[in-house]
Amino acid sequence: MAKYLLENQKSERLLFRKITPKDFDSWLPFYENPESTRYWNGLPKNPEEACNEQFNKTFERYEKGLGGMNALVHKETNLLIGICGLLVQTVDGIEELEIGYSISPKYWRKGYAIEAARKCKEYAFKHKFTTSLISIIHVDNIPSKRVASKNGMVLDKTTTYKENPVAIYRVHN
């Protein structure tokens, strides 16, 4: 069941589709840039291992109906520029629906993360998946906090998630 996936959805510059094993080489540069993961503890140090772990989790989510990241493909270039999606998460013992997003470093600061995150928010609320959405952001990740704020989210609480100090940003429908 792919209830939470935005397959075949579009935004102004992006196409959303399922991630496939063929995307691995295109996504690997994300993990090869230390800036991409500097805020998150607990990831493998080897870029290939980290990318492989993410892909395995993504495919497992697809199989279990727990949402998942979508490949973000630039409409004009047909290149994979990031991943974004709706993810079923458990935070402090409560099941939530999260908007997760990561953009390849060479496409940072061009508005792609906010464009994709907004599309996820609109899609989730249009289909009445939930009455509120969260984003789980490391407390030091200012760029990601800006994306959440531009998506209408506000700081709901701080907590620990997967051994990381995080800010939970939330938006209500």
Side-chain angles (χ1 to χ4, degrees):
M1 178 169 148
K3 173 179 176 178
Y4 300 117
L5 292 179
L6 279 77
E7 271 189 284
N8 303 315
Q9 295 297 306
K10 297 174 184 170
S11 63
E12 183 183 341
R13 300 174 290 174
L14 303 170
L15 303 170
F16 291 70
R17 64 163 172 76
K18 270 183 153 176
I19 292 172
T20 71
K22 291 179 183 175
D23 293 320
F24 186 90
D25 290 339
S26 297
W27 190 239
L28 186 58
F30 176 84
Y31 285 103
E32 291 172 336
N33 183 329
E35 283 297 300
S36 298
T37 57
R38 79 176 194 163
Y39 298 110
W40 205 256
N41 300 315
L43 296 174
K45 296 293 180 218
N46 178 295
E48 287 193 12
E49 284 178 37
C51 192
N52 197 45
E53 188 175 285
Q54 182 174 40
F55 271 54
N56 288 339
K57 285 180 186 173
T58 297
F59 301 140
E60 184 179 329
R61 283 184 165 283
Y62 290 173
E63 288 172 24
K64 293 183 176 180
L66 297 174
M69 293 297 220
N70 301 272
L72 300 175
V73 178
H74 195 279
K75 285 181 180 178
E76 289 181 11
T77 64
N78 210 32
L79 295 173
L80 176 73
I81 63 152
I83 60 176
C84 183
L86 298 168
L87 312 167
V88 177
Q89 302 282 24
T90 302
V91 179
D92 294 338
I94 301 165
E95 192 172 279
E96 303 261 18
L97 195 57
E98 178 197 17
I99 300 172
Y101 42 86
S102 296
I103 302 296
S104 192
K106 70 185 201 179
Y107 300 102
W108 286 351
R109 291 179 282 286
K110 295 179 179 9
Y112 293 116
I114 183 57
E115 182 177 330
R118 277 190 183 135
K119 182 66 180 180
C120 286
K121 177 181 76 173
E122 292 164 4
Y123 187 82
F125 288 155
K126 177 183 174 188
H127 290 88
K128 297 179 174 40
F129 293 150
T130 184
T131 57
S132 76
L133 294 160
I134 64 167
S135 282
I136 303 167
I137 303 169
H138 191 282
V139 294
D140 295 331
N141 190 339
I142 303 302
S144 193
K145 288 178 175 182
R146 280 193 203 112
V147 170
S149 293
K150 288 180 181 177
N151 199 18
M153 298 179 133
V154 296
L155 179 63
D156 186 57
K157 66 180 177 180
T158 55
T159 188
T160 301
Y161 180 78
K162 296 189 179 178
E163 300 180 30
N164 285 271
V166 296
I168 304 297
Y169 276 71
R170 183 179 302 278
V171 63
H172 294 274
N173 190 4

